[in-house]
Amino acid sequence: MRFVLATYGSRGDVEPMAGLAVRLRALGARVRVCAPPDFAELLDDSGVPLSPVGWPIHALATGAVPGKAGLSDIAAELTAMAYEAVTGAAEGPAAVVATGSFPAVAGARAAAEKLGVPYVYTSLSPCYLPSSHHPPLRRPGQVIPPEVTGNRELWDLHAENTEALFGETINTHRASVGLPPVSGVRDHVFTGHPLLAADPVLGPWQETPELDVTQTGAWIRPDERPLPAGLETFLAAGPKPVYVGFGSMLIRDANAQEASRAVIEAVRTQGRRVLLGSGWADLTAIDDRDDCFVVGEVNQQALFPRVAAVVHHGGAGTTATAARAGAPQVIVPQVADQPYWAGRVTDLGIGTEHTGPTPTTDSLSAALKIVLAPETAARATDVAGTIRTDGADQAAKLLLDMIGRSESAPSAD
């Protein structure tokens, strides 16, 4: 049995697919991942072949792709690039599992239709899926008419806006590859039976008439890499530090030096050592004091149980890894589903949401006082024992069973 897993986005979109790929391969399936070229090393380390999709995500996010400033141009090319990557990777009967950027997922669905194979949409966060229990995420600058107040009405508006943004682009591409047009592109891409790859404690799904959702738990890629020797030395040299890192995020309204100074001084005001994850925000030391250490990309599964708290952007993967490690969290949300995860860690009592997207010494220090309190640490430890670790395994078994039943079903001819 063969699967093509397609995504276009940051590391938080690719890691879950790598986790699923590892489990599918362990169960005897053949797997190829279509993802941005930035993640060739990650997938190679997982033993999973990569079919590159589109531009490097870092270049696109930082405006380093010439002539790609308009949403319509980017969406049209991403749809076509994902379609081409998936059809090129299929090599015979396959099922397509997709997540990430909406235009890219639309291209993956079109590829599955053209190939005549099953397609499964996956959300990494409950807040992306239509439900009467919660409103949709607001786009930056979006104005909601005052008469639109209920969750269902807000999701209807979300469907209309998605159609206005992407409907023509997606249908133009479908026509170019010989597929009929679709109406209601959001529901077409999401389908009526999506998977939800999120932990049921961290991101619970409430049953709703809108969708038949199967929640599997988060898809975690086991990371066996040792921590760098210099980091091990730093960890052993004193009390647990506070880790601060924003992954594949730039810090809004702050340059690297400003952000670095703010977070380092905030941690120092709490009498703690600081461990900086440089990331796309380019966090760096501001002096030569030995209470600060800077690391690049690192095994968070091994690191987070050894820190006093984690300050991060609120990506689904980082949130789950910190929760699983029992590390209290300060989330400084920037975009997308990050405010949702910030709200969840606050509601669970395992951390707090930072006020605003740009940390200052005073604002981050105030948040750290909350998460470094003994009661927050105790609550984080309690919740850690409830976080599922078998989400990717559950999803792999479900997909193998689903595709097996599909292949064995009698033909309608």
Side-chain angles (χ1 to χ4, degrees), residues 122-187:
T122 298
S123 178
L124 304 180
S125 175
C127 64
Y128 286 129
L129 296 174
S131 170
S132 55
H133 298 294
H134 60 253
L137 298 171
R138 287 199 182 191
R139 298 191 320 276
Q142 182 181 11
V143 177
I144 305 295
E147 67 274 12
V148 180
T149 56
N151 287 337
R152 290 189 178 181
E153 290 79 10
L154 288 166
W155 279 109
D156 288 343
L157 180 63
H158 179 271
E160 293 173 10
N161 290 338
T162 304
E163 190 74 21
L165 283 171
F166 302 116
E168 182 177 354
T169 294
I170 289 169
N171 280 319
T172 297
H173 175 263
R174 289 175 62 86
S176 73
V177 297
L179 291 172
V182 295
S183 59
V185 292
R186 185 201 67 188
D187 295 341

Short mmCIF file of all heavy atoms in Angstrom, two decimals, residues 122-187:
data_model
loop_
_atom_site.label_atom_id
_atom_site.label_comp_id
_atom_site.label_asym_id
_atom_site.label_seq_id
_atom_site.Cartn_x
_atom_site.Cartn_y
_atom_site.Cartn_z
N THR A 122 -6.41 16.61 6.74
CA THR A 122 -6.06 16.60 8.16
C THR A 122 -5.87 18.01 8.67
O THR A 122 -5.15 18.80 8.06
CB THR A 122 -4.77 15.80 8.39
OG1 THR A 122 -4.97 14.44 7.98
CG2 THR A 122 -4.38 15.82 9.86
N SER A 123 -6.51 18.32 9.80
CA SER A 123 -6.27 19.58 10.49
C SER A 123 -5.38 19.32 11.68
O SER A 123 -5.51 18.29 12.36
CB SER A 123 -7.59 20.20 10.95
OG SER A 123 -7.35 21.40 11.67
N LEU A 124 -4.47 20.24 11.96
CA LEU A 124 -3.57 20.12 13.11
C LEU A 124 -4.10 20.87 14.33
O LEU A 124 -3.46 20.86 15.38
CB LEU A 124 -2.18 20.62 12.74
CG LEU A 124 -1.53 19.93 11.52
CD1 LEU A 124 -0.15 20.52 11.26
CD2 LEU A 124 -1.45 18.43 11.71
N SER A 125 -5.26 21.51 14.17
CA SER A 125 -5.83 22.29 15.27
C SER A 125 -7.35 22.28 15.14
O SER A 125 -7.88 22.44 14.03
CB SER A 125 -5.32 23.72 15.24
OG SER A 125 -5.96 24.51 16.22
N PRO A 126 -8.08 22.11 16.25
CA PRO A 126 -9.55 22.13 16.17
C PRO A 126 -10.10 23.44 15.62
O PRO A 126 -11.15 23.45 14.98
CB PRO A 126 -9.98 21.92 17.63
CG PRO A 126 -8.83 21.29 18.31
CD PRO A 126 -7.60 21.83 17.62
N CYS A 127 -9.41 24.54 15.88
CA CYS A 127 -9.98 25.85 15.54
C CYS A 127 -10.07 26.10 14.04
O CYS A 127 -10.73 27.04 13.62
CB CYS A 127 -9.19 26.96 16.22
SG CYS A 127 -7.47 27.10 15.70
N TYR A 128 -9.40 25.28 13.23
CA TYR A 128 -9.50 25.44 11.78
C TYR A 128 -10.77 24.81 11.20
O TYR A 128 -11.13 25.09 10.06
CB TYR A 128 -8.29 24.80 11.09
CG TYR A 128 -7.00 25.56 11.23
CD1 TYR A 128 -5.84 24.92 11.65
CD2 TYR A 128 -6.93 26.91 10.91
CE1 TYR A 128 -4.65 25.61 11.77
CE2 TYR A 128 -5.73 27.61 11.02
CZ TYR A 128 -4.59 26.95 11.46
OH TYR A 128 -3.42 27.64 11.58
N LEU A 129 -11.42 23.93 11.95
CA LEU A 129 -12.54 23.16 11.43
C LEU A 129 -13.87 23.81 11.79
O LEU A 129 -14.08 24.21 12.94
CB LEU A 129 -12.49 21.74 11.97
CG LEU A 129 -11.26 20.91 11.55
CD1 LEU A 129 -11.25 19.57 12.26
CD2 LEU A 129 -11.23 20.73 10.04
N PRO A 130 -14.80 23.91 10.83
CA PRO A 130 -16.10 24.53 11.10
C PRO A 130 -16.86 23.80 12.21
O PRO A 130 -16.95 22.57 12.22
CB PRO A 130 -16.84 24.39 9.76
CG PRO A 130 -15.76 24.29 8.74
CD PRO A 130 -14.65 23.53 9.40
N SER A 131 -17.39 24.58 13.15
CA SER A 131 -18.11 24.01 14.28
C SER A 131 -19.00 25.07 14.90
O SER A 131 -18.62 26.24 14.99
CB SER A 131 -17.14 23.48 15.33
OG SER A 131 -17.82 23.14 16.52
N SER A 132 -20.16 24.63 15.37
CA SER A 132 -21.05 25.55 16.08
C SER A 132 -20.52 25.88 17.48
O SER A 132 -21.03 26.78 18.14
CB SER A 132 -22.44 24.93 16.21
OG SER A 132 -22.38 23.65 16.83
N HIS A 133 -19.46 25.18 17.91
CA HIS A 133 -18.93 25.38 19.25
C HIS A 133 -17.85 26.45 19.33
O HIS A 133 -17.46 26.85 20.43
CB HIS A 133 -18.37 24.07 19.80
CG HIS A 133 -19.40 22.99 19.94
ND1 HIS A 133 -20.44 23.07 20.83
CD2 HIS A 133 -19.55 21.82 19.27
CE1 HIS A 133 -21.19 21.99 20.72
NE2 HIS A 133 -20.68 21.21 19.80
N HIS A 134 -17.30 26.87 18.21
CA HIS A 134 -16.27 27.91 18.24
C HIS A 134 -16.31 28.72 16.95
O HIS A 134 -16.72 28.20 15.90
CB HIS A 134 -14.87 27.31 18.45
CG HIS A 134 -14.46 26.35 17.38
ND1 HIS A 134 -14.40 24.99 17.56
CD2 HIS A 134 -14.06 26.56 16.09
CE1 HIS A 134 -14.01 24.40 16.46
NE2 HIS A 134 -13.79 25.34 15.54
N PRO A 135 -15.86 29.97 16.98
CA PRO A 135 -15.84 30.79 15.78
C PRO A 135 -14.58 30.51 14.95
O PRO A 135 -13.61 29.94 15.46
CB PRO A 135 -15.79 32.22 16.33
CG PRO A 135 -15.03 32.07 17.62
CD PRO A 135 -15.43 30.73 18.18
N PRO A 136 -14.57 30.89 13.68
CA PRO A 136 -13.35 30.76 12.89
C PRO A 136 -12.31 31.78 13.31
O PRO A 136 -12.62 32.79 13.94
CB PRO A 136 -13.84 31.03 11.46
CG PRO A 136 -15.07 31.86 11.63
CD PRO A 136 -15.70 31.43 12.91
N LEU A 137 -11.06 31.50 12.97
CA LEU A 137 -10.00 32.47 13.19
C LEU A 137 -10.22 33.68 12.29
O LEU A 137 -10.64 33.54 11.14
CB LEU A 137 -8.64 31.84 12.88
CG LEU A 137 -8.23 30.65 13.73
CD1 LEU A 137 -6.96 30.02 13.16
CD2 LEU A 137 -8.01 31.08 15.17
N ARG A 138 -9.91 34.84 12.80
CA ARG A 138 -10.02 36.05 11.99
C ARG A 138 -8.73 36.27 11.22
O ARG A 138 -7.64 36.12 11.77
CB ARG A 138 -10.29 37.27 12.87
CG ARG A 138 -11.68 37.33 13.42
CD ARG A 138 -12.00 38.75 13.88
NE ARG A 138 -13.32 38.84 14.47
CZ ARG A 138 -13.93 39.98 14.75
NH1 ARG A 138 -13.33 41.14 14.50
NH2 ARG A 138 -15.14 40.00 15.30
N ARG A 139 -8.88 36.65 9.96
CA ARG A 139 -7.72 37.06 9.19
C ARG A 139 -7.31 38.47 9.61
O ARG A 139 -8.16 39.26 10.02
CB ARG A 139 -8.04 37.07 7.68
CG ARG A 139 -8.42 35.73 7.11
CD ARG A 139 -8.44 35.80 5.57
NE ARG A 139 -9.00 37.05 5.08
CZ ARG A 139 -10.31 37.28 4.92
NH1 ARG A 139 -11.18 36.36 5.23
NH2 ARG A 139 -10.72 38.45 4.45
N PRO A 140 -6.01 38.79 9.51
CA PRO A 140 -5.57 40.16 9.84
C PRO A 140 -6.34 41.19 9.03
O PRO A 140 -6.45 41.07 7.80
CB PRO A 140 -4.09 40.14 9.47
CG PRO A 140 -3.69 38.70 9.60
CD PRO A 140 -4.89 37.91 9.15
N GLY A 141 -6.87 42.16 9.70
CA GLY A 141 -7.59 43.23 9.02
C GLY A 141 -9.03 42.91 8.65
O GLY A 141 -9.73 43.77 8.09
N GLN A 142 -9.49 41.71 8.94
CA GLN A 142 -10.85 41.34 8.56
C GLN A 142 -11.88 42.10 9.39
O GLN A 142 -11.73 42.25 10.61
CB GLN A 142 -11.07 39.84 8.75
CG GLN A 142 -12.45 39.36 8.33
CD GLN A 142 -12.64 37.88 8.57
OE1 GLN A 142 -11.83 37.22 9.23
NE2 GLN A 142 -13.72 37.33 8.03
N VAL A 143 -12.91 42.60 8.72
CA VAL A 143 -14.00 43.30 9.39
C VAL A 143 -15.24 42.41 9.36
O VAL A 143 -15.68 41.99 8.29
CB VAL A 143 -14.29 44.65 8.71
CG1 VAL A 143 -15.48 45.34 9.38
CG2 VAL A 143 -13.06 45.56 8.75
N ILE A 144 -15.77 42.11 10.53
CA ILE A 144 -16.97 41.28 10.63
C ILE A 144 -18.19 42.19 10.71
O ILE A 144 -18.26 43.09 11.56
CB ILE A 144 -16.93 40.39 11.89
CG1 ILE A 144 -15.66 39.54 11.89
CG2 ILE A 144 -18.17 39.51 11.97
CD1 ILE A 144 -15.57 38.53 10.79
N PRO A 145 -19.17 42.01 9.82
CA PRO A 145 -20.39 42.82 9.92
C PRO A 145 -21.04 42.67 11.29
O PRO A 145 -21.07 41.56 11.84
CB PRO A 145 -21.29 42.23 8.81
CG PRO A 145 -20.34 41.59 7.84
CD PRO A 145 -19.20 41.08 8.67
N PRO A 146 -21.53 43.75 11.87
CA PRO A 146 -22.06 43.69 13.24
C PRO A 146 -23.23 42.73 13.40
O PRO A 146 -23.47 42.22 14.50
CB PRO A 146 -22.47 45.14 13.52
CG PRO A 146 -22.58 45.80 12.18
CD PRO A 146 -21.59 45.10 11.29
N GLU A 147 -23.95 42.45 12.31
CA GLU A 147 -25.11 41.57 12.43
C GLU A 147 -24.72 40.09 12.42
O GLU A 147 -25.54 39.22 12.71
CB GLU A 147 -26.11 41.84 11.29
CG GLU A 147 -25.63 41.47 9.90
CD GLU A 147 -24.82 42.57 9.23
OE1 GLU A 147 -24.43 43.53 9.93
OE2 GLU A 147 -24.59 42.46 8.01
N VAL A 148 -23.45 39.80 12.10
CA VAL A 148 -22.98 38.41 12.07
C VAL A 148 -22.34 38.11 13.42
O VAL A 148 -21.24 38.56 13.72
CB VAL A 148 -21.97 38.18 10.92
CG1 VAL A 148 -21.49 36.74 10.92
CG2 VAL A 148 -22.59 38.54 9.59
N THR A 149 -23.04 37.33 14.25
CA THR A 149 -22.58 37.11 15.62
C THR A 149 -22.44 35.65 16.01
O THR A 149 -21.51 35.28 16.72
CB THR A 149 -23.52 37.81 16.61
OG1 THR A 149 -24.85 37.31 16.39
CG2 THR A 149 -23.51 39.32 16.42
N GLY A 150 -23.36 34.79 15.59
CA GLY A 150 -23.31 33.39 16.00
C GLY A 150 -22.20 32.62 15.30
O GLY A 150 -21.75 33.00 14.21
N ASN A 151 -21.76 31.53 15.91
CA ASN A 151 -20.67 30.75 15.33
C ASN A 151 -21.02 30.21 13.94
O ASN A 151 -20.19 30.23 13.04
CB ASN A 151 -20.30 29.59 16.26
CG ASN A 151 -19.56 30.07 17.50
OD1 ASN A 151 -18.96 31.14 17.51
ND2 ASN A 151 -19.61 29.27 18.56
N ARG A 152 -22.24 29.71 13.77
CA ARG A 152 -22.60 29.18 12.45
C ARG A 152 -22.61 30.28 11.40
O ARG A 152 -22.17 30.07 10.26
CB ARG A 152 -23.96 28.49 12.54
CG ARG A 152 -23.92 27.19 13.33
CD ARG A 152 -25.20 26.41 13.23
NE ARG A 152 -25.10 25.14 13.95
CZ ARG A 152 -26.07 24.24 14.02
NH1 ARG A 152 -27.23 24.48 13.40
NH2 ARG A 152 -25.91 23.13 14.69
N GLU A 153 -23.11 31.44 11.77
CA GLU A 153 -23.11 32.56 10.82
C GLU A 153 -21.68 32.99 10.49
O GLU A 153 -21.37 33.33 9.33
CB GLU A 153 -23.89 33.74 11.40
CG GLU A 153 -25.39 33.53 11.51
CD GLU A 153 -25.79 32.69 12.72
OE1 GLU A 153 -24.91 32.44 13.58
OE2 GLU A 153 -26.97 32.29 12.80
N LEU A 154 -20.81 32.97 11.50
CA LEU A 154 -19.42 33.33 11.26
C LEU A 154 -18.73 32.31 10.35
O LEU A 154 -17.92 32.69 9.49
CB LEU A 154 -18.68 33.44 12.59
CG LEU A 154 -19.03 34.66 13.45
CD1 LEU A 154 -18.50 34.50 14.87
CD2 LEU A 154 -18.47 35.93 12.81
N TRP A 155 -19.06 31.04 10.52
CA TRP A 155 -18.46 30.03 9.63
C TRP A 155 -19.03 30.13 8.22
O TRP A 155 -18.32 29.87 7.24
CB TRP A 155 -18.67 28.63 10.20
CG TRP A 155 -17.67 28.28 11.26
CD1 TRP A 155 -17.87 28.16 12.60
CD2 TRP A 155 -16.27 28.02 11.05
NE1 TRP A 155 -16.70 27.85 13.25
CE2 TRP A 155 -15.70 27.76 12.33
CE3 TRP A 155 -15.44 27.99 9.92
CZ2 TRP A 155 -14.34 27.45 12.49
CZ3 TRP A 155 -14.09 27.70 10.09
CH2 TRP A 155 -13.56 27.43 11.36
N ASP A 156 -20.31 30.52 8.09
CA ASP A 156 -20.86 30.76 6.75
C ASP A 156 -20.12 31.90 6.07
O ASP A 156 -19.80 31.84 4.86
CB ASP A 156 -22.35 31.09 6.85
CG ASP A 156 -23.21 29.88 7.21
OD1 ASP A 156 -22.71 28.74 7.06
OD2 ASP A 156 -24.36 30.08 7.64
N LEU A 157 -19.83 32.94 6.83
CA LEU A 157 -19.07 34.06 6.29
C LEU A 157 -17.65 33.60 5.93
O LEU A 157 -17.09 34.02 4.90
CB LEU A 157 -19.02 35.20 7.30
CG LEU A 157 -18.24 36.45 6.89
CD1 LEU A 157 -18.89 37.10 5.68
CD2 LEU A 157 -18.18 37.45 8.06
N HIS A 158 -17.07 32.76 6.75
CA HIS A 158 -15.75 32.22 6.47
C HIS A 158 -15.75 31.46 5.14
O HIS A 158 -14.82 31.61 4.33
CB HIS A 158 -15.34 31.29 7.61
CG HIS A 158 -14.00 30.62 7.44
ND1 HIS A 158 -13.85 29.41 6.79
CD2 HIS A 158 -12.76 31.00 7.83
CE1 HIS A 158 -12.57 29.06 6.80
NE2 HIS A 158 -11.89 30.01 7.41
N ALA A 159 -16.78 30.67 4.90
CA ALA A 159 -16.88 29.94 3.62
C ALA A 159 -16.98 30.90 2.45
O ALA A 159 -16.34 30.69 1.39
CB ALA A 159 -18.08 29.00 3.66
N GLU A 160 -17.77 31.97 2.62
CA GLU A 160 -17.90 32.96 1.55
C GLU A 160 -16.57 33.66 1.28
O GLU A 160 -16.19 33.87 0.11
CB GLU A 160 -18.96 34.00 1.94
CG GLU A 160 -20.38 33.47 2.03
CD GLU A 160 -21.35 34.50 2.57
OE1 GLU A 160 -20.95 35.68 2.69
OE2 GLU A 160 -22.49 34.14 2.90
N ASN A 161 -15.86 34.01 2.34
CA ASN A 161 -14.58 34.69 2.17
C ASN A 161 -13.55 33.77 1.52
O ASN A 161 -12.74 34.20 0.68
CB ASN A 161 -14.06 35.18 3.52
CG ASN A 161 -14.87 36.34 4.07
OD1 ASN A 161 -15.54 37.04 3.32
ND2 ASN A 161 -14.81 36.54 5.38
N THR A 162 -13.55 32.49 1.91
CA THR A 162 -12.62 31.53 1.30
C THR A 162 -12.92 31.38 -0.18
O THR A 162 -12.01 31.30 -1.01
CB THR A 162 -12.72 30.17 2.01
OG1 THR A 162 -12.48 30.34 3.40
CG2 THR A 162 -11.71 29.19 1.44
N GLU A 163 -14.20 31.35 -0.51
CA GLU A 163 -14.60 31.26 -1.92
C GLU A 163 -14.11 32.48 -2.69
O GLU A 163 -13.58 32.37 -3.81
CB GLU A 163 -16.12 31.16 -2.02
CG GLU A 163 -16.64 30.81 -3.40
CD GLU A 163 -16.39 29.36 -3.75
OE1 GLU A 163 -16.19 28.53 -2.85
OE2 GLU A 163 -16.40 29.05 -4.97
N ALA A 164 -14.27 33.67 -2.10
CA ALA A 164 -13.85 34.90 -2.77
C ALA A 164 -12.33 34.94 -2.96
O ALA A 164 -11.84 35.41 -3.99
CB ALA A 164 -14.32 36.11 -1.98
N LEU A 165 -11.60 34.44 -1.97
CA LEU A 165 -10.14 34.48 -2.03
C LEU A 165 -9.57 33.45 -3.00
O LEU A 165 -8.63 33.73 -3.75
CB LEU A 165 -9.56 34.25 -0.64
CG LEU A 165 -9.59 35.41 0.34
CD1 LEU A 165 -9.17 34.94 1.73
CD2 LEU A 165 -8.67 36.54 -0.13
N PHE A 166 -10.12 32.22 -2.97
CA PHE A 166 -9.46 31.12 -3.65
C PHE A 166 -10.32 30.39 -4.69
O PHE A 166 -9.79 29.58 -5.45
CB PHE A 166 -8.99 30.07 -2.63
CG PHE A 166 -8.04 30.62 -1.60
CD1 PHE A 166 -8.40 30.65 -0.26
CD2 PHE A 166 -6.80 31.10 -1.97
CE1 PHE A 166 -7.53 31.14 0.71
CE2 PHE A 166 -5.91 31.60 -1.02
CZ PHE A 166 -6.28 31.62 0.32
N GLY A 167 -11.61 30.65 -4.72
CA GLY A 167 -12.48 29.87 -5.60
C GLY A 167 -12.09 29.93 -7.07
O GLY A 167 -11.93 28.90 -7.73
N GLU A 168 -11.92 31.13 -7.59
CA GLU A 168 -11.58 31.28 -9.01
C GLU A 168 -10.22 30.67 -9.31
O GLU A 168 -10.04 29.97 -10.32
CB GLU A 168 -11.59 32.76 -9.39
CG GLU A 168 -11.30 32.99 -10.88
CD GLU A 168 -11.38 34.46 -11.25
OE1 GLU A 168 -11.76 35.28 -10.40
OE2 GLU A 168 -11.06 34.78 -12.42
N THR A 169 -9.25 30.91 -8.43
CA THR A 169 -7.90 30.37 -8.63
C THR A 169 -7.91 28.85 -8.68
O THR A 169 -7.31 28.23 -9.58
CB THR A 169 -6.98 30.84 -7.48
OG1 THR A 169 -6.83 32.25 -7.56
CG2 THR A 169 -5.62 30.18 -7.57
N ILE A 170 -8.61 28.23 -7.74
CA ILE A 170 -8.65 26.77 -7.67
C ILE A 170 -9.38 26.19 -8.87
O ILE A 170 -8.93 25.20 -9.47
CB ILE A 170 -9.28 26.32 -6.35
CG1 ILE A 170 -8.31 26.62 -5.19
CG2 ILE A 170 -9.65 24.84 -6.37
CD1 ILE A 170 -8.92 26.47 -3.82
N ASN A 171 -10.49 26.80 -9.26
CA ASN A 171 -11.24 26.26 -10.39
C ASN A 171 -10.54 26.49 -11.72
O ASN A 171 -10.67 25.69 -12.64
CB ASN A 171 -12.65 26.84 -10.41
CG ASN A 171 -13.57 26.13 -9.43
OD1 ASN A 171 -13.52 24.90 -9.32
ND2 ASN A 171 -14.40 26.88 -8.73
N THR A 172 -9.78 27.57 -11.83
CA THR A 172 -8.98 27.77 -13.04
C THR A 172 -7.94 26.67 -13.17
O THR A 172 -7.72 26.12 -14.26
CB THR A 172 -8.28 29.14 -12.99
OG1 THR A 172 -9.27 30.18 -12.97
CG2 THR A 172 -7.36 29.34 -14.19
N HIS A 173 -7.31 26.32 -12.06
CA HIS A 173 -6.34 25.22 -12.11
C HIS A 173 -7.02 23.90 -12.43
O HIS A 173 -6.51 23.10 -13.24
CB HIS A 173 -5.59 25.10 -10.79
CG HIS A 173 -4.67 23.91 -10.76
ND1 HIS A 173 -5.03 22.71 -10.18
CD2 HIS A 173 -3.43 23.72 -11.29
CE1 HIS A 173 -4.05 21.83 -10.35
NE2 HIS A 173 -3.08 22.42 -11.01
N ARG A 174 -8.16 23.64 -11.81
CA ARG A 174 -8.87 22.39 -12.08
C ARG A 174 -9.22 22.26 -13.55
O ARG A 174 -9.06 21.20 -14.16
CB ARG A 174 -10.14 22.30 -11.21
CG ARG A 174 -9.84 22.09 -9.73
CD ARG A 174 -11.13 22.14 -8.89
NE ARG A 174 -12.03 21.07 -9.29
CZ ARG A 174 -11.99 19.83 -8.80
NH1 ARG A 174 -11.05 19.49 -7.92
NH2 ARG A 174 -12.86 18.93 -9.21
N ALA A 175 -9.67 23.35 -14.15
CA ALA A 175 -9.99 23.32 -15.58
C ALA A 175 -8.75 23.01 -16.41
O ALA A 175 -8.82 22.28 -17.42
CB ALA A 175 -10.60 24.65 -16.00
N SER A 176 -7.60 23.54 -15.98
CA SER A 176 -6.36 23.34 -16.75
C SER A 176 -5.90 21.88 -16.76
O SER A 176 -5.14 21.48 -17.63
CB SER A 176 -5.25 24.24 -16.21
OG SER A 176 -4.76 23.76 -14.97
N VAL A 177 -6.35 21.09 -15.76
CA VAL A 177 -5.95 19.67 -15.70
C VAL A 177 -7.11 18.74 -16.02
O VAL A 177 -7.05 17.53 -15.76
CB VAL A 177 -5.34 19.33 -14.32
CG1 VAL A 177 -4.08 20.14 -14.10
CG2 VAL A 177 -6.34 19.54 -13.19
N GLY A 178 -8.20 19.33 -16.55
CA GLY A 178 -9.31 18.50 -17.00
C GLY A 178 -10.27 18.06 -15.93
O GLY A 178 -10.96 17.05 -16.08
N LEU A 179 -10.36 18.81 -14.84
CA LEU A 179 -11.29 18.48 -13.77
C LEU A 179 -12.44 19.49 -13.76
O LEU A 179 -12.24 20.66 -14.11
CB LEU A 179 -10.59 18.51 -12.42
CG LEU A 179 -9.57 17.40 -12.16
CD1 LEU A 179 -8.82 17.67 -10.86
CD2 LEU A 179 -10.24 16.02 -12.10
N PRO A 180 -13.63 19.07 -13.36
CA PRO A 180 -14.77 20.00 -13.35
C PRO A 180 -14.64 21.00 -12.22
O PRO A 180 -13.97 20.75 -11.21
CB PRO A 180 -15.97 19.07 -13.12
CG PRO A 180 -15.40 17.89 -12.39
CD PRO A 180 -14.02 17.70 -12.95
N PRO A 181 -15.30 22.15 -12.34
CA PRO A 181 -15.26 23.14 -11.26
C PRO A 181 -16.03 22.65 -10.04
O PRO A 181 -16.87 21.75 -10.13
CB PRO A 181 -15.93 24.37 -11.88
CG PRO A 181 -16.84 23.80 -12.93
CD PRO A 181 -16.13 22.59 -13.48
N VAL A 182 -15.71 23.24 -8.91
CA VAL A 182 -16.43 22.92 -7.67
C VAL A 182 -16.95 24.22 -7.07
O VAL A 182 -16.37 25.28 -7.25
CB VAL A 182 -15.52 22.20 -6.65
CG1 VAL A 182 -15.10 20.84 -7.18
CG2 VAL A 182 -14.31 23.04 -6.29
N SER A 183 -18.05 24.12 -6.38
CA SER A 183 -18.55 25.26 -5.61
C SER A 183 -18.33 24.95 -4.14
O SER A 183 -18.36 23.79 -3.72
CB SER A 183 -20.04 25.50 -5.89
OG SER A 183 -20.79 24.34 -5.54
N GLY A 184 -18.10 25.99 -3.37
CA GLY A 184 -17.80 25.77 -1.96
C GLY A 184 -16.44 25.14 -1.77
O GLY A 184 -16.32 24.02 -1.28
N VAL A 185 -15.38 25.87 -2.17
CA VAL A 185 -14.04 25.26 -2.17
C VAL A 185 -13.58 24.89 -0.77
O VAL A 185 -12.83 23.91 -0.61
CB VAL A 185 -13.01 26.18 -2.86
CG1 VAL A 185 -13.28 26.29 -4.35
CG2 VAL A 185 -12.93 27.55 -2.20
N ARG A 186 -13.99 25.64 0.25
CA ARG A 186 -13.54 25.29 1.60
C ARG A 186 -14.00 23.89 1.98
O ARG A 186 -13.21 23.05 2.42
CB ARG A 186 -14.06 26.29 2.63
CG ARG A 186 -13.52 26.04 4.04
CD ARG A 186 -14.38 26.67 5.11
NE ARG A 186 -15.70 26.05 5.21
CZ ARG A 186 -16.68 26.53 5.95
NH1 ARG A 186 -16.51 27.65 6.63
NH2 ARG A 186 -17.86 25.89 6.01
N ASP A 187 -15.30 23.63 1.83
CA ASP A 187 -15.83 22.33 2.22
C ASP A 187 -15.34 21.23 1.29
O ASP A 187 -15.18 20.08 1.72
CB ASP A 187 -17.35 22.38 2.24
CG ASP A 187 -17.88 23.34 3.32
OD1 ASP A 187 -17.11 23.67 4.24
OD2 ASP A 187 -19.04 23.76 3.21
#
